[in-house]
Amino acid sequence: MAPLSAVAQRRGTIGAVLSSRTAWDLAANALAARTDALRASGRPVLDLAQSNPTRAGLAWDPGELAAVLGDERAAIYEPTPQGLPEARAAVAEYLAARGAPVDAGRILLTASTSEAYALLFKLLCDPGDEVLVPAPSYPLLDLLADLEAVRLVRYPLRYDGAWHVDLAAIEAAVGPRTRALVAVSPANPTGAVLDGDELAALDRLCAAHDLALLGDEVFADTALGPCPSVVAEAGESLAFHLSGLSKVCGLPQLKAGWIAAAGPAERVGPALARLEVIADAYLSVSGPAQLALPSLLARRERFLAPLRARLAANRTILAAIRDAPATPLASAGGWTAVLRIGQTVDEESLCLALLDDGVVVQPGFFYDFERPGYLVVSLLAPPTEFALGLRRMLDRCASADFVSPSGR
Ligand SMILES: Cc1ncc(COP(=O)(O)O)c(C=O)c1O
């Protein structure tokens, strides 16, 4: 047998043995490098990009969490691809409380919402198939699609004082290889919430084109008004609700999420049977997390009540912005807010300058806005930090230094 190094030489470079779906440019971009440098410097940081609730003063009491995780039944391994029945029943109870009753038999546990996407892409798509996703939307979807060799096709969300889906634009984006449509409500980063009519229209559109409807509802508990679920609104298409403890309980470290299937029984049955086989290949949800899930969901207000208070306080600070060079866009929920800074401002130079001021903010281009001129802020920061960061941001926006070359 030829030594491995000789095999590698014949193939050209070691890189030739690696898949094209992982051929990312791994060089840190200027913003990421400068953000890391700021965090490592020990200087005080006003982090308006914080998405980790456990680092934003919203962590669970360690003793309570340890007690909930200490179930002695965890000593025995019970492999259940769909997830433990009591954990699935707890998810069904959570959804029923949201006005979206679903049979626990239609629920499958996952390690996270991200993993739920991965399982569903495997279930629905062959390599090269397409999935429709909203724009703007959060960047993780691109990575999840790359890993499943799936192509994302964007459909626009339109803003006219509130965010809307554009059904005609979605119709136009459907092609022969489209397999599914992702709807995120409340959306990240826009905070757009789909109403019942919009969800019903998406359901009909998906049924008409034989697409699955994926409803990412991780931020539903922070909606400022009604937030209908695909589980309740979808009747014609094969639909899936996705969520998890990461956002419902502020416990990303637990690695527990779920999928709930909805739609006609003759479509849901075969889909769930195959999903169970996919889940069986990994069995990725840990036993202790499954056993703790009912208690954690029952105590979710321990996290959600202070979270809502935090989000409301920061929304009030945002709403007080008047006659400033940045305008907050209306939002109906979620953990983030969008500010319009105008197309003439160069997002990246502004964010780099803000890092010099000790403020971390994300540029709109991370989220695929149709046009330049947006910033995205997390609403998780403690309000005093949020207000100070916002002040520095507005001061920087007011300076003329960041006009983009195309905007001059
Ligand atoms: C809209 C949305 N869906 C899903 C996720 C991923 O959630 P999880 O931590 O459960 O994988 C995120 C993460 O920020 C998100 O913003």
Side-chain angles (χ1 to χ4, degrees):
M1 203 173 95
L4 277 181
S5 58
V7 174
Q9 261 175 14
R10 276 207 302 278
R11 290 193 181 202
T13 64
I14 287 287
V17 304
L18 306 181
S19 70
S20 57
R21 80 179 72 174
T22 58
W24 302 294
D25 176 3
L26 296 179
N29 64 41
L31 264 179
R34 202 95 72 90
T35 305
D36 290 348
L38 171 64
R39 291 204 166 110
S41 70
R43 285 175 55 204
V45 178
L46 298 170
D47 198 342
L48 273 54
Q50 181 61 269
S51 60
N52 177 350
T54 70
R55 292 275 179 212
L58 294 164
W60 281 57
D61 171 71
E64 181 177 10
L65 190 57
V68 172
L69 287 170
D71 193 313
E72 292 183 358
R73 288 174 296 167
I76 304 299
Y77 180 42
E78 291 284 4
T80 44
Q82 231 187 315
L84 289 178
E86 60 264 44
R88 288 186 284 114
V91 173
E93 209 175 298
Y94 161 74
L95 278 167
R98 275 196 55 207
V102 59
D103 191 289
R106 287 182 161 206
I107 290 167
L108 181 122
L109 299 190
T110 63
S112 62
T113 312
S114 312
E115 195 197 50
Y117 275 109
L119 301 189
L120 289 168
F121 287 171
K122 287 188 211 349
L123 173 74
L124 301 164
C125 301
D126 288 317
D129 280 347
E130 294 174 358
V131 172
L132 301 178
V133 296
S137 192
Y138 78 121
L140 183 65
L141 286 174
D142 292 273
L143 183 57
L144 296 173
D146 276 358
L147 290 171
E148 304 304 329
V150 166
R151 221 171 72 77
L152 296 186
V153 175
R154 323 256 157 201
Y155 66 85
L157 296 179
R158 309 268 187 222
Y159 186 77
D160 63 2
W163 291 96
H164 307 282
V165 287
D166 178 342
L167 289 172
I170 296 178
E171 285 277 2
V174 175
R177 300 209 62 175
T178 314
R179 310 296 305 142
L181 181 143
V182 172
V184 188
S185 179
N188 177 0
T190 57
V193 169
L194 294 166
D195 64 26
D197 290 344
E198 286 175 309
L199 272 178
L202 291 178
D203 177 44
R204 285 193 299 275
L205 185 149
C206 285
H209 292 281
D210 210 11
L211 312 180
L213 174 58
L214 274 50
D216 176 336
E217 299 174 359
V218 295
F219 295 120
D221 299 296
T222 60
L224 302 176
C227 183
S229 167
V230 283
V231 170
E233 305 301 328
E236 297 183 25
S237 68
L238 174 62
F240 300 96
H241 149 98
L242 292 70
S243 192
L245 289 189
S246 167
K247 305 296 189 287
V248 174
C249 287
L251 290 167
Q253 69 272 42
L254 261 282
K255 307 317 300 174
W258 55 82
I259 295 167
E266 66 277 13
R267 288 173 171 234
V268 169
L272 278 175
R274 291 190 188 195
L275 263 182
E276 205 175 317
V277 177
I278 301 171
D280 197 17
Y282 300 102
L283 293 167
S284 51
V285 197
S286 83
Q290 296 192 47
L291 289 165
L293 202 140
S295 299
L296 294 171
L297 275 181
R299 296 166 200 228
R300 63 186 178 278
E301 286 301 321
R302 298 262 213 293
F303 166 70
L304 289 173
L307 170 72
R308 288 193 200 99
R310 171 74 56 89
L311 298 173
N314 287 337
R315 283 182 189 283
T316 303
I317 293 167
L318 264 184
I321 296 181
R322 294 267 184 279
D323 302 324
T327 315
L329 302 192
S331 141
W335 295 11
T336 44
V338 176
L339 291 107
R340 185 160 43 210
I341 50 173
Q343 285 186 62
T344 54
V345 180
D346 184 63
E347 291 174 5
E348 185 168 19
S349 331
L350 175 59
C351 289
L352 284 169
L354 281 165
L355 288 173
D356 293 340
D357 297 340
V359 183
V360 188
V361 172
Q362 291 188 313
F365 69 79
F366 277 9
Y367 293 84
D368 261 318
F369 281 80
E370 233 170 351
R371 279 170 286 139
Y374 295 91
L375 294 179
V376 173
V377 293
S378 163
L379 299 170
L380 285 192
T384 43
E385 194 177 306
F386 185 77
L388 194 55
L390 204 61
R391 184 70 266 147
R392 288 195 195 160
M393 194 180 96
L394 295 176
D395 290 347
R396 277 286 189 178
C397 287
S399 100
D401 299 349
F402 308 106
V403 176
S404 69
S406 58
R408 280 184 216 277

